[in-house]
Amino acid sequence: MDSHVLQEYLDDHAFRIVVKKRKNYLTYEGLQDRYAYVLKSGIIKTSVISPDGREFNLRYINSLEIVSLLRDEYSQFIDAPFNIRVESEQAELYQIDRVQFWKDINKSKDLQMYVKDYYRVRLMYSMKKMQQMLMNGKFGAVCTQIYELYDTFGVETAEGLLIDFVVTNEEIAHFCGITSASSVNRMMQQLRELGAIKIQDRKILITDLEILKDHIIL
């Protein structure tokens, strides 16, 4: 998604920059907030909590993007739709009054198009994620999540495709709706035995992307 329109808007305004350290939360699901946030730098993770208290990860974000849904145009305060936690050493986020943000959007056709694209991309992502979770099974869900991590953090190296970010098996379990990290441990071991991945300095190195794809309904 082309974010130059959003960047130009941010550059034209002196919005407050919020700085959060690793493992700190920007907001919690259900907490009322009057601001919209845009990630400036760093890595954050969005997640929700199930009724029985289990955490379900939604996605990592590591580039310029609106990270809190805008909801309606008129309510000064809204309930945060999910948790937002910092996963890098620190993250910087633009903090924008949400009602003013909507007024500015309504004045700019370029911003309107960006927001429409934002919602379209997020909707398509959510639909695809749901399809993959329902159709792939647990092993396929883990393969899907590794592939998604490659999309987000992948770096080509002489040995393969390095996911240049440390992601624990517990976090992968939370992305896949798997209750036990030990189940993910076994699946990761299976992928190593198949020759699909290696672990290098606690990071996942994909040595055969096709093996992963063979277990994914894309």
Side-chain angles (χ1 to χ4, degrees):
M1 191 167 61
D2 188 357
S3 59
H4 77 277
V5 171
L6 180 62
Q7 185 65 71
E8 287 177 1
Y9 169 73
L10 296 168
D11 291 342
D12 289 341
H13 295 77
F15 294 121
R16 182 188 175 201
I17 304 293
V18 176
V19 179
K20 292 283 187 179
K21 299 296 184 182
R22 186 171 182 268
K23 302 303 182 186
N24 285 348
Y25 282 84
L26 176 69
T27 189
Y28 295 92
E29 181 184 3
L31 183 70
Q32 286 202 330
D33 201 345
R34 61 175 292 181
Y35 298 104
Y37 296 93
V38 177
L39 181 64
K40 182 176 187 286
S41 65
I43 301 168
I44 62 170
K45 182 189 74 177
T46 58
S47 66
V48 294
I49 304 297
S50 67
D52 61 0
R54 288 184 296 139
E55 184 177 30
F56 182 76
N57 292 340
L58 299 175
R59 59 191 291 257
Y60 287 114
I61 302 172
N62 65 341
S63 59
L64 185 77
E65 184 177 318
I66 301 169
V67 299
S68 54
L69 298 180
L70 299 179
R71 295 281 184 93
D72 66 87
E73 301 180 36
Y74 308 107
S75 300
Q76 186 175 20
F77 291 90
I78 62 166
D79 292 342
F82 38 62
N83 304 319
I84 300 175
R85 192 179 81 170
V86 176
E87 298 298 309
S88 50
E89 287 305 312
Q90 75 170 34
E92 297 179 306
L93 301 103
Y94 297 97
Q95 184 185 68
I96 310 170
D97 181 276
R98 59 178 310 280
V99 173
Q100 185 59 52
F101 196 13
W102 269 117
K103 289 179 180 177
D104 293 340
I105 290 167
N106 289 331
K107 292 176 184 176
S108 167
K109 289 192 179 298
D110 288 340
L111 269 179
Q112 288 172 31
M113 290 302 299
Y114 175 82
V115 170
K116 285 180 181 178
D117 283 345
Y118 167 81
Y119 277 112
R120 178 182 57 79
V121 170
R122 294 282 70 78
L123 176 61
M124 293 300 295
Y125 173 84
S126 298
M127 292 172 64
K128 184 177 180 182
K129 187 80 171 180
M130 185 179 298
Q131 178 191 37
Q132 291 170 340
M133 289 292 295
L134 292 172
M135 299 178 68
N136 277 314
K138 289 184 178 180
F139 186 72
V142 170
C143 293
T144 298
Q145 186 55 44
I146 294 172
Y147 188 89
E148 186 174 311
L149 291 169
Y150 152 68
D151 263 350
T152 305
F153 302 111
V155 175
E156 289 190 26
T157 70
E159 297 177 283
L161 303 167
L162 178 67
I163 297 172
D164 195 18
F165 183 68
V166 175
V167 182
T168 66
N169 289 347
E170 183 179 11
E171 290 289 4
I172 292 175
H174 290 167
F175 273 106
C176 300
I178 298 172
T179 56
S180 170
S182 62
S183 296
V184 176
N185 292 346
R186 289 192 295 272
M187 295 178 217
M188 295 293 280
Q189 178 60 34
Q190 186 177 345
L191 286 169
R192 286 196 291 269
E193 291 171 356
L194 289 170
I197 66 169
K198 292 181 180 177
I199 303 301
Q200 188 178 88
D201 297 326
R202 298 174 59 215
K203 298 176 181 178
I204 300 170
L205 177 72
I206 300 173
T207 50
D208 194 327
L209 190 61
E210 293 305 313
I211 293 176
L212 283 179
K213 289 181 178 180
D214 286 344
H215 294 88
I216 299 173
I217 299 173
L218 292 172

